[in-house]
Protein backbone atom coordinates (compact mmCIF):
# COMPACT_ATOMS: atom_id res chain seq x y z
CA UNK A 1 0.00 0.00 0.00
CA UNK A 2 1.34 3.43 -0.99
CA UNK A 3 0.16 6.69 0.54
CA UNK A 4 -0.74 9.44 -1.94
CA UNK A 5 -0.47 13.02 -0.70
CA UNK A 6 -2.48 15.62 -2.58
CA UNK A 7 -1.89 19.33 -2.06
CA UNK A 8 -5.21 19.79 -0.29
CA UNK A 9 -4.54 16.74 1.90
CA UNK A 10 -1.28 18.25 3.10
CA UNK A 11 -2.83 21.67 3.76
CA UNK A 12 -5.83 20.27 5.64
CA UNK A 13 -3.64 18.18 7.93
CA UNK A 14 -1.31 21.14 8.40
CA UNK A 15 -4.28 23.24 9.51
CA UNK A 16 -5.28 20.47 11.90
CA UNK A 17 -1.77 20.41 13.38
CA UNK A 18 -1.81 24.21 13.74
CA UNK A 19 -5.19 23.93 15.48
CA UNK A 20 -3.74 21.49 18.02
CA UNK A 21 -0.83 23.88 18.57
CA UNK A 22 -3.29 26.77 19.05
CA UNK A 23 -5.22 24.76 21.65
CA UNK A 24 -1.99 24.15 23.58
CA UNK A 25 -1.16 27.86 23.49
CA UNK A 26 -4.69 28.82 24.59
CA UNK A 27 -4.43 26.51 27.59
CA UNK A 28 -1.26 28.36 28.61
CA UNK A 29 -2.95 31.77 28.39
CA UNK A 30 -5.38 32.38 31.26
CA UNK A 31 -7.23 35.24 29.53
CA UNK A 32 -7.82 33.31 26.30
CA UNK A 33 -8.69 30.15 28.21
CA UNK A 34 -11.33 32.05 30.17
CA UNK A 35 -12.87 33.46 26.99
CA UNK A 36 -13.09 30.01 25.38
CA UNK A 37 -14.67 28.61 28.54
CA UNK A 38 -17.31 31.33 28.25
CA UNK A 39 -17.91 30.31 24.61
CA UNK A 40 -18.39 26.64 25.46
CA UNK A 41 -20.52 27.43 28.52
CA UNK A 42 -23.42 28.15 26.16
CA UNK A 43 -25.15 24.82 25.35
CA UNK A 44 -26.09 25.85 21.81
CA UNK A 45 -22.51 26.87 20.94
CA UNK A 46 -21.09 23.64 22.39
CA UNK A 47 -23.63 21.56 20.48
CA UNK A 48 -22.82 23.41 17.23
CA UNK A 49 -19.09 22.88 17.83
CA UNK A 50 -19.60 19.12 18.25
CA UNK A 51 -21.49 18.90 14.95
CA UNK A 52 -18.89 21.07 13.23
CA UNK A 53 -16.09 18.87 14.61
CA UNK A 54 -17.87 15.81 13.19
CA UNK A 55 -17.75 17.40 9.74
CA UNK A 56 -14.04 18.13 10.22
CA UNK A 57 -13.45 14.48 11.17
CA UNK A 58 -15.16 13.37 7.95
CA UNK A 59 -13.02 15.77 5.94
CA UNK A 60 -9.80 14.52 7.55
CA UNK A 61 -10.63 10.84 6.98
CA UNK A 62 -11.29 11.71 3.33
CA UNK A 63 -7.87 13.42 3.15
CA UNK A 64 -5.82 10.27 3.76
CA UNK A 65 -5.34 8.82 0.28
CA UNK A 66 -3.58 5.59 -0.56
CA UNK A 67 -3.23 3.12 -3.39
CA UNK A 68 -2.91 -0.66 -3.13
CA UNK A 69 0.04 -2.29 -4.84
CA UNK A 70 -0.57 -3.11 -8.53
CA UNK A 71 -3.76 -1.00 -8.45
CA UNK A 72 -4.38 2.27 -10.29
CA UNK A 73 -7.37 3.33 -8.17
CA UNK A 74 -6.72 5.81 -5.36
CA UNK A 75 -8.84 5.41 -2.21
CA UNK A 76 -9.26 7.45 0.94
CA UNK A 77 -9.95 6.07 4.41
CA UNK A 78 -13.52 7.32 4.03
CA UNK A 79 -13.85 5.39 0.75
CA UNK A 80 -13.03 2.15 2.56
CA UNK A 81 -15.66 2.91 5.21
CA UNK A 82 -18.24 3.61 2.49
CA UNK A 83 -17.13 0.66 0.37
CA UNK A 84 -20.52 -1.15 0.36
CA UNK A 85 -22.20 1.91 -1.14
CA UNK A 86 -19.28 2.51 -3.50
CA UNK A 87 -19.25 -1.00 -4.97
CA UNK A 88 -23.01 -1.36 -5.43
CA UNK A 89 -23.67 -1.62 -9.18
CA UNK A 90 -27.15 -0.22 -9.82
CA UNK A 91 -28.67 0.85 -13.12
CA UNK A 92 -30.53 4.05 -12.36
CA UNK A 93 -32.58 5.97 -9.79
CA UNK A 94 -33.90 4.47 -6.58
CA UNK A 95 -35.56 6.27 -3.68
CA UNK A 96 -34.01 6.34 -0.18
CA UNK A 97 -34.12 3.01 1.70
CA UNK A 98 -36.01 1.26 -1.09
CA UNK A 99 -35.52 -2.27 -2.35
CA UNK A 100 -36.36 -1.68 -6.01
CA UNK A 101 -35.65 0.84 -8.75
CA UNK A 102 -37.56 4.07 -9.09
CA UNK A 103 -38.44 3.60 -12.76
CA UNK A 104 -39.99 0.61 -14.51
CA UNK A 105 -38.31 -1.51 -17.16
CA UNK A 106 -38.83 -4.83 -18.94
CA UNK A 107 -37.73 -7.64 -16.62
CA UNK A 108 -36.40 -11.08 -17.48
CA UNK A 109 -39.94 -12.42 -17.21
CA UNK A 110 -40.97 -10.18 -20.10
CA UNK A 111 -43.25 -8.09 -17.90
CA UNK A 112 -42.75 -4.41 -17.20
CA UNK A 113 -41.89 -3.63 -13.57
CA UNK A 114 -39.32 -2.28 -11.14
CA UNK A 115 -36.09 -4.26 -10.95
CA UNK A 116 -34.75 -5.36 -7.55
CA UNK A 117 -31.69 -3.44 -6.36
CA UNK A 118 -28.41 -5.34 -6.25
CA UNK A 119 -27.44 -4.07 -2.78
CA UNK A 120 -30.68 -5.10 -1.08
CA UNK A 121 -31.24 -8.72 -0.10
CA UNK A 122 -33.25 -10.69 -2.68
CA UNK A 123 -35.37 -12.07 0.18
CA UNK A 124 -37.02 -8.65 0.54
CA UNK A 125 -39.77 -8.45 -2.06
CA UNK A 126 -42.59 -6.52 -0.37
CA UNK A 127 -42.82 -3.11 1.36
CA UNK A 128 -43.72 -4.84 4.63
CA UNK A 129 -40.56 -6.94 4.62
CA UNK A 130 -38.56 -3.85 3.72
CA UNK A 131 -40.00 -1.76 6.58
CA UNK A 132 -39.46 -4.64 8.99
CA UNK A 133 -35.73 -4.88 8.19
CA UNK A 134 -35.26 -1.10 8.36
CA UNK A 135 -36.96 -1.05 11.77
CA UNK A 136 -34.84 -3.96 13.01
CA UNK A 137 -31.57 -2.33 11.94
CA UNK A 138 -32.64 0.99 13.44
CA UNK A 139 -33.39 -0.67 16.80
CA UNK A 140 -29.95 -2.31 16.74
CA UNK A 141 -28.35 1.08 16.06
CA UNK A 142 -30.33 2.63 18.92
CA UNK A 143 -29.22 -0.07 21.38
CA UNK A 144 -25.57 0.25 20.37
CA UNK A 145 -25.80 4.05 20.61
CA UNK A 146 -27.31 3.99 24.10
CA UNK A 147 -24.62 1.58 25.26
CA UNK A 148 -21.90 3.78 23.70
CA UNK A 149 -23.17 7.00 25.28
CA UNK A 150 -23.42 5.33 28.70
CA UNK A 151 -19.78 4.26 28.37
CA UNK A 152 -18.84 7.78 27.32
CA UNK A 153 -20.68 9.35 30.28
CA UNK A 154 -19.07 6.87 32.68
CA UNK A 155 -15.60 7.53 31.27
CA UNK A 156 -16.11 11.30 31.39
CA UNK A 157 -17.35 11.19 34.98
CA UNK A 158 -14.80 8.77 36.44
CA UNK A 159 -11.69 9.57 34.40
CA UNK A 160 -12.12 13.19 33.32
CA UNK A 161 -14.18 14.27 36.38
CA UNK A 162 -16.83 15.89 34.17
CA UNK A 163 -20.23 16.39 35.77
CA UNK A 164 -22.82 15.14 33.24
CA UNK A 165 -25.74 16.71 35.15
CA UNK A 166 -25.10 20.34 34.24
CA UNK A 167 -27.27 21.83 31.50
CA UNK A 168 -24.34 22.41 29.15
CA UNK A 169 -22.98 18.89 29.53
CA UNK A 170 -26.43 17.33 29.12
CA UNK A 171 -26.85 19.13 25.81
CA UNK A 172 -23.35 18.04 24.78
CA UNK A 173 -24.08 14.37 25.55
CA UNK A 174 -27.42 14.55 23.72
CA UNK A 175 -25.64 15.95 20.67
CA UNK A 176 -22.96 13.27 20.92
CA UNK A 177 -25.70 10.65 21.15
CA UNK A 178 -27.23 11.97 17.94
CA UNK A 179 -23.87 11.86 16.14
CA UNK A 180 -23.07 8.36 17.44
CA UNK A 181 -26.51 7.08 16.49
CA UNK A 182 -26.15 8.50 12.97
CA UNK A 183 -22.75 6.84 12.51
CA UNK A 184 -23.83 3.43 13.82
CA UNK A 185 -27.13 3.55 11.93
CA UNK A 186 -25.31 4.43 8.68
CA UNK A 187 -22.74 1.65 9.20
CA UNK A 188 -25.51 -0.91 9.73
CA UNK A 189 -27.58 0.36 6.80
CA UNK A 190 -24.87 0.77 4.15
CA UNK A 191 -24.31 -2.96 3.46
CA UNK A 192 -28.08 -3.43 3.06
CA UNK A 193 -29.56 -0.24 1.60
CA UNK A 194 -28.88 2.89 -0.35
CA UNK A 195 -29.61 5.25 2.54
CA UNK A 196 -30.35 8.28 0.36
CA UNK A 197 -31.15 6.39 -2.83
CA UNK A 198 -29.20 6.44 -6.09
CA UNK A 199 -28.82 8.94 -8.92
CA UNK A 200 -29.36 8.55 -12.67
CA UNK A 201 -26.14 6.55 -13.08
CA UNK A 202 -26.94 4.29 -10.11
CA UNK A 203 -24.35 5.94 -7.82
CA UNK A 204 -25.20 6.03 -4.13
CA UNK A 205 -26.36 9.55 -3.17
CA UNK A 206 -25.29 9.11 0.47
CA UNK A 207 -21.76 8.38 -0.74
CA UNK A 208 -21.75 11.53 -2.88
CA UNK A 209 -23.14 13.71 -0.06
CA UNK A 210 -20.58 12.45 2.47
CA UNK A 211 -17.70 12.80 0.01
CA UNK A 212 -18.76 16.39 -0.65
CA UNK A 213 -18.01 17.30 2.96
CA UNK A 214 -14.27 17.45 2.22
CA UNK A 215 -14.82 19.89 -0.65
CA UNK A 216 -16.94 22.13 1.56
CA UNK A 217 -14.35 22.07 4.36
CA UNK A 218 -11.53 22.89 1.92
CA UNK A 219 -13.44 25.86 0.54
CA UNK A 220 -14.37 27.16 3.96
CA UNK A 221 -11.06 26.60 5.77
CA UNK A 222 -8.32 26.95 3.15
CA UNK A 223 -9.83 30.00 1.47
CA UNK A 224 -10.23 31.75 4.82
CA UNK A 225 -6.65 30.96 5.89
CA UNK A 226 -5.19 31.98 2.52
CA UNK A 227 -6.99 35.33 2.72
CA UNK A 228 -5.54 36.18 6.15
CA UNK A 229 -1.90 37.12 5.27
CA UNK A 230 -2.72 39.93 2.77
CA UNK A 231 -5.60 41.16 4.93
CA UNK A 232 -3.53 41.32 8.14
CA UNK A 233 -0.28 42.68 6.67
CA UNK A 234 -1.86 45.31 4.42
CA UNK A 235 -4.40 46.32 7.05
CA UNK A 236 -1.69 46.85 9.69
CA UNK A 237 0.53 48.76 7.25
CA UNK A 238 -2.29 51.04 6.11
CA UNK A 239 -3.36 51.90 9.66
CA UNK A 240 0.15 52.34 11.05
CA UNK A 241 2.12 54.12 8.31
CA UNK A 242 -0.83 56.20 7.01
CA UNK A 243 -0.04 58.73 4.26
CA UNK A 244 0.83 57.38 0.82
CA UNK A 245 1.03 53.78 2.04
CA UNK A 246 -2.54 54.03 3.30
CA UNK A 247 -3.68 55.64 0.03
CA UNK A 248 -2.14 52.89 -2.13
CA UNK A 249 -3.57 50.06 -0.02
CA UNK A 250 -7.00 51.71 0.06
CA UNK A 251 -6.89 52.09 -3.72
CA UNK A 252 -6.05 48.40 -4.15
CA UNK A 253 -8.83 46.98 -1.98
CA UNK A 254 -11.37 49.57 -3.13
CA UNK A 255 -10.68 48.63 -6.76
CA UNK A 256 -11.03 44.91 -6.03
CA UNK A 257 -14.23 45.52 -4.05
CA UNK A 258 -15.69 47.55 -6.93
CA UNK A 259 -15.50 44.57 -9.31
CA UNK A 260 -18.50 42.21 -9.01
CA UNK A 261 -17.10 39.24 -7.09
CA UNK A 262 -18.79 36.45 -9.01
CA UNK A 263 -17.78 37.91 -12.39
CA UNK A 264 -14.15 38.32 -11.31
CA UNK A 265 -14.01 34.78 -9.93
CA UNK A 266 -15.69 33.37 -13.05
CA UNK A 267 -13.20 35.14 -15.34
CA UNK A 268 -10.18 33.88 -13.38
CA UNK A 269 -11.59 30.35 -13.21
CA UNK A 270 -12.22 30.26 -16.97
CA UNK A 271 -8.63 31.39 -17.62
CA UNK A 272 -7.43 28.66 -15.27
CA UNK A 273 -9.62 26.08 -17.01
CA UNK A 274 -8.22 26.96 -20.44
CA UNK A 275 -4.65 26.70 -19.14
CA UNK A 276 -5.24 23.32 -17.48
CA UNK A 277 -6.92 21.94 -20.61
CA UNK A 278 -3.95 22.98 -22.74
CA UNK A 279 -1.49 21.34 -20.30
CA UNK A 280 -3.48 18.20 -19.47
CA UNK A 281 -0.39 16.01 -19.93
CA UNK A 282 1.32 17.68 -16.95
CA UNK A 283 -0.93 15.86 -14.46
CA UNK A 284 -0.35 12.25 -13.44
CA UNK A 285 -4.05 11.48 -12.94
CA UNK A 286 -7.49 13.07 -13.10
CA UNK A 287 -7.57 13.08 -9.29
CA UNK A 288 -4.43 15.22 -9.07
CA UNK A 289 -5.75 17.53 -11.80
CA UNK A 290 -9.09 18.08 -10.05
CA UNK A 291 -7.35 18.53 -6.69
CA UNK A 292 -5.03 21.20 -8.11
CA UNK A 293 -8.01 23.00 -9.66
CA UNK A 294 -9.75 22.91 -6.27
CA UNK A 295 -6.69 24.41 -4.58
CA UNK A 296 -6.26 27.13 -7.21
CA UNK A 297 -9.95 27.95 -6.96
CA UNK A 298 -9.45 28.50 -3.22
CA UNK A 299 -6.52 30.82 -4.02
CA UNK A 300 -8.70 32.79 -6.45
CA UNK A 301 -11.45 33.13 -3.85
CA UNK A 302 -8.89 34.22 -1.25
CA UNK A 303 -7.54 36.92 -3.59
CA UNK A 304 -11.04 38.38 -3.89
CA UNK A 305 -12.23 37.98 -0.28
CA UNK A 306 -9.48 39.60 1.84
CA UNK A 307 -10.64 43.17 1.37
CA UNK A 308 -13.34 43.24 4.04
CA UNK A 309 -11.05 42.07 6.84
CA UNK A 310 -8.28 44.38 5.63
CA UNK A 311 -10.62 47.36 5.96
CA UNK A 312 -11.56 46.36 9.52
CA UNK A 313 -7.94 45.85 10.58
CA UNK A 314 -6.93 49.20 9.05
CA UNK A 315 -9.62 51.03 11.03
CA UNK A 316 -8.65 49.29 14.28
CA UNK A 317 -4.93 49.95 13.68
CA UNK A 318 -5.59 53.66 13.08
CA UNK A 319 -7.07 53.82 16.57
CA UNK A 320 -4.43 51.64 18.25
CA UNK A 321 -1.47 53.49 16.70
CA UNK A 322 -2.41 56.62 18.68
CA UNK A 323 -2.40 54.88 22.06
CA UNK A 324 0.35 55.31 24.63
CA UNK A 325 1.95 51.86 24.34
CA UNK A 326 2.60 52.34 20.61
CA UNK A 327 3.92 55.87 21.09
CA UNK A 328 6.20 54.64 23.89
CA UNK A 329 7.56 51.89 21.64
CA UNK A 330 8.45 54.50 19.00
CA UNK A 331 10.21 56.69 21.58
CA UNK A 332 12.34 53.75 22.77
CA UNK A 333 13.43 53.05 19.20
CA UNK A 334 11.51 49.82 18.60
CA UNK A 335 11.53 48.98 14.90
CA UNK A 336 8.37 49.35 12.83
CA UNK A 337 8.31 45.61 12.09
CA UNK A 338 8.28 44.76 15.81
CA UNK A 339 5.61 47.36 16.51
CA UNK A 340 3.43 45.95 13.74
CA UNK A 341 3.70 42.29 14.66
CA UNK A 342 4.49 42.35 18.41
CA UNK A 343 2.33 45.25 19.57
CA UNK A 344 -0.43 45.88 17.04
CA UNK A 345 -1.20 42.44 15.55
CA UNK A 346 -2.10 40.76 18.89
CA UNK A 347 -4.61 43.56 19.50
CA UNK A 348 -6.46 42.97 16.22
CA UNK A 349 -6.57 39.17 16.43
CA UNK A 350 -10.10 39.25 17.83
CA UNK A 351 -11.19 40.72 14.47
CA UNK A 352 -9.29 37.98 12.64
CA UNK A 353 -10.91 35.21 14.69
CA UNK A 354 -14.39 36.67 14.26
CA UNK A 355 -13.79 37.00 10.50
CA UNK A 356 -12.63 33.38 10.22
CA UNK A 357 -15.70 31.89 11.83
CA UNK A 358 -18.15 34.26 10.11
CA UNK A 359 -16.68 33.91 6.60
CA UNK A 360 -16.52 30.09 6.69
CA UNK A 361 -20.22 29.46 6.07
CA UNK A 362 -20.35 32.07 3.30
CA UNK A 363 -17.50 30.40 1.45
CA UNK A 364 -19.19 26.99 1.68
CA UNK A 365 -22.26 28.51 0.03
CA UNK A 366 -20.12 30.24 -2.63
CA UNK A 367 -18.79 26.83 -3.71
CA UNK A 368 -22.34 25.67 -4.32
CA UNK A 369 -23.15 28.83 -6.31
CA UNK A 370 -20.00 28.62 -8.45
CA UNK A 371 -20.53 24.94 -9.25
CA UNK A 372 -24.17 25.67 -10.06
CA UNK A 373 -23.21 28.30 -12.68
CA UNK A 374 -20.51 26.03 -14.11
CA UNK A 375 -17.31 27.75 -12.91
CA UNK A 376 -16.74 25.79 -9.73
CA UNK A 377 -14.80 22.64 -8.98
CA UNK A 378 -14.01 19.96 -11.55
CA UNK A 379 -16.95 17.82 -12.67
CA UNK A 380 -15.19 14.72 -11.26
CA UNK A 381 -14.95 16.28 -7.77
CA UNK A 382 -17.70 15.38 -5.34
CA UNK A 383 -19.31 18.58 -4.11
CA UNK A 384 -22.73 19.80 -3.03
CA UNK A 385 -22.61 22.40 -5.80
CA UNK A 386 -22.16 19.70 -8.45
CA UNK A 387 -25.00 17.70 -6.88
CA UNK A 388 -27.30 20.72 -7.00
CA UNK A 389 -26.22 21.48 -10.56
CA UNK A 390 -27.00 17.90 -11.63
CA UNK A 391 -30.40 18.08 -9.91
CA UNK A 392 -31.65 21.04 -11.96
CA UNK A 393 -33.37 18.85 -14.54
CA UNK A 394 -34.36 16.14 -12.05
CA UNK A 395 -36.72 18.36 -10.09
CA UNK A 396 -38.68 19.11 -13.27
CA UNK A 397 -39.42 15.46 -14.05
CA UNK A 398 -42.70 13.70 -13.33
CA UNK A 399 -42.55 12.09 -10.86
CA UNK A 400 -40.00 14.38 -9.21
CA UNK A 401 -36.54 13.00 -8.41
CA UNK A 402 -36.15 14.99 -5.19
CA UNK A 403 -33.61 13.07 -3.07
CA UNK A 404 -30.28 14.18 -4.67
CA UNK A 405 -31.18 17.86 -4.21
CA UNK A 406 -32.61 17.28 -0.73
CA UNK A 407 -29.53 15.32 0.39
CA UNK A 408 -27.05 18.01 -0.67
CA UNK A 409 -29.24 20.71 0.86
CA UNK A 410 -29.55 18.93 4.23
CA UNK A 411 -25.82 18.20 4.59
CA UNK A 412 -24.88 21.74 3.56
CA UNK A 413 -27.59 23.28 5.76
CA UNK A 414 -26.40 21.44 8.89
CA UNK A 415 -22.76 22.46 8.30
CA UNK A 416 -23.60 26.12 7.64
CA UNK A 417 -26.05 26.27 10.57
CA UNK A 418 -23.57 24.80 13.05
CA UNK A 419 -20.83 27.15 11.79
CA UNK A 420 -23.11 30.19 12.08
CA UNK A 421 -24.29 29.33 15.59
CA UNK A 422 -20.73 28.81 16.80
CA UNK A 423 -19.54 31.94 14.97
CA UNK A 424 -22.23 34.05 16.62
CA UNK A 425 -21.07 32.95 20.08
CA UNK A 426 -17.41 33.64 19.21
CA UNK A 427 -18.39 37.12 18.05
CA UNK A 428 -20.27 37.79 21.28
CA UNK A 429 -17.30 36.83 23.44
CA UNK A 430 -14.37 38.27 21.48
CA UNK A 431 -16.01 41.44 20.19
CA UNK A 432 -15.27 44.18 22.78
CA UNK A 433 -18.75 45.60 22.13
CA UNK A 434 -20.40 42.17 22.40
CA UNK A 435 -22.48 40.90 25.29
CA UNK A 436 -20.47 37.99 26.74
CA UNK A 437 -23.24 37.08 29.14
CA UNK A 438 -25.74 36.43 26.34
Amino acid sequence: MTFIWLWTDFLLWLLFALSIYAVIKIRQNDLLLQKWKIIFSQPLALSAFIVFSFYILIGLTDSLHFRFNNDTITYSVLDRVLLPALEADEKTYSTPLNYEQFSKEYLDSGLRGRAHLNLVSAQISTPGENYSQIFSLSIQALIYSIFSIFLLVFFSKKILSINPNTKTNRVAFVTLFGVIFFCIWAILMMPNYHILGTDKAGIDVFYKAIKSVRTGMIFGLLTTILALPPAIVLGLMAGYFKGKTDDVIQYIYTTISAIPGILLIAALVLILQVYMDEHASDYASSLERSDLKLLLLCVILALTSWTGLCRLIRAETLKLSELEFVQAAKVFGVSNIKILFNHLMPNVMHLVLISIVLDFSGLVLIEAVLSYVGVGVDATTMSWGNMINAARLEISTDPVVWWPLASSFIFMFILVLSANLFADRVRQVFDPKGDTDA
Side-chain angles (χ1 to χ4, degrees), residues 150-170:
F150 273 130
L151 286 179
L152 185 60
V153 171
F154 177 81
F155 175 81
S156 301
K157 186 175 181 180
K158 297 298 183 181
I159 307 299
L160 303 179
S161 301
I162 296 177
N163 182 12
N165 295 321
T166 64
K167 180 181 178 182
T168 301
N169 290 339
R170 284 200 302 269

Side-chain angles (χ1 to χ4, degrees), residues 339-401:
I339 291 176
L340 284 174
F341 295 103
N342 292 349
H343 294 75
L344 291 175
M345 191 170 74
N347 288 282
V348 300
M349 289 308 292
H350 67 282
L351 295 175
V352 175
L353 181 60
I354 292 170
S355 176
I356 289 174
V357 294
L358 287 177
D359 291 347
F360 174 85
S361 56
L363 290 168
V364 173
L365 295 174
I366 284 177
E367 182 276 320
V369 173
L370 292 177
S371 297
Y372 180 78
V373 299
V375 293
V377 299
D378 196 81
T380 60
T381 302
M382 300 287 184
S383 76
W384 293 315
N386 280 339
M387 292 180 67
I388 294 172
N389 185 35
R392 284 188 298 179
L393 299 177
E394 295 173 341
I395 58 176
S396 62
T397 59
D398 186 24
V400 176
V401 179

Side-chain angles (χ1 to χ4, degrees), residues 240-419:
Y240 177 72
F241 292 112
K242 306 181 181 68
K244 292 185 178 179
T245 302
D246 186 22
D247 292 339
V248 171
I249 294 174
Q250 282 193 77
Y251 178 80
I252 293 173
Y253 70 61
T254 301
T255 302
I256 295 176
S257 300
I259 304 173
I262 295 295
L263 294 180
L264 178 59
I265 294 169
L268 294 175
V269 169
L270 290 174
I271 293 172
L272 172 64
Q273 184 66 48
V274 171
Y275 175 82
M276 296 185 75
D277 289 342
E278 292 178 350
H279 298 80
S281 59
D282 296 342
Y283 310 105
S285 64
S286 60
L287 178 63
E288 293 181 5
R289 180 181 182 276
S290 61
D291 182 77
L292 182 59
K293 182 181 179 181
L294 176 60
L295 177 59
L296 293 177
L297 186 56
C298 291
V299 174
I300 291 172
L301 284 172
L303 292 175
T304 59
S305 61
W306 61 270
T307 56
L309 178 59
C310 181
R311 185 182 288 110
L312 291 174
I313 292 178
R314 171 190 172 274
E316 187 71 11
T317 305
L318 283 172
K319 180 179 67 175
L320 292 171
S321 62
E322 301 299 327
L323 298 181
E324 291 81 358
F325 73 96
V326 176
Q327 299 300 323
K330 290 181 180 179
V331 171
F332 282 105
V334 180
S335 66
N336 291 329
I337 296 296
K338 289 186 177 180
I339 291 176
L340 284 174
F341 295 103
N342 292 349
H343 294 75
L344 291 175
M345 191 170 74
N347 288 282
V348 300
M349 289 308 292
H350 67 282
L351 295 175
V352 175
L353 181 60
I354 292 170
S355 176
I356 289 174
V357 294
L358 287 177
D359 291 347
F360 174 85
S361 56
L363 290 168
V364 173
L365 295 174
I366 284 177
E367 182 276 320
V369 173
L370 292 177
S371 297
Y372 180 78
V373 299
V375 293
V377 299
D378 196 81
T380 60
T381 302
M382 300 287 184
S383 76
W384 293 315
N386 280 339
M387 292 180 67
I388 294 172
N389 185 35
R392 284 188 298 179
L393 299 177
E394 295 173 341
I395 58 176
S396 62
T397 59
D398 186 24
V400 176
V401 179
W402 53 269
W403 51 94
L405 178 63
S407 302
S408 57
F409 170 78
I410 291 172
F411 274 86
M412 185 166 56
F413 172 76
I414 294 174
L415 174 60
V416 172
L417 179 63
S418 61

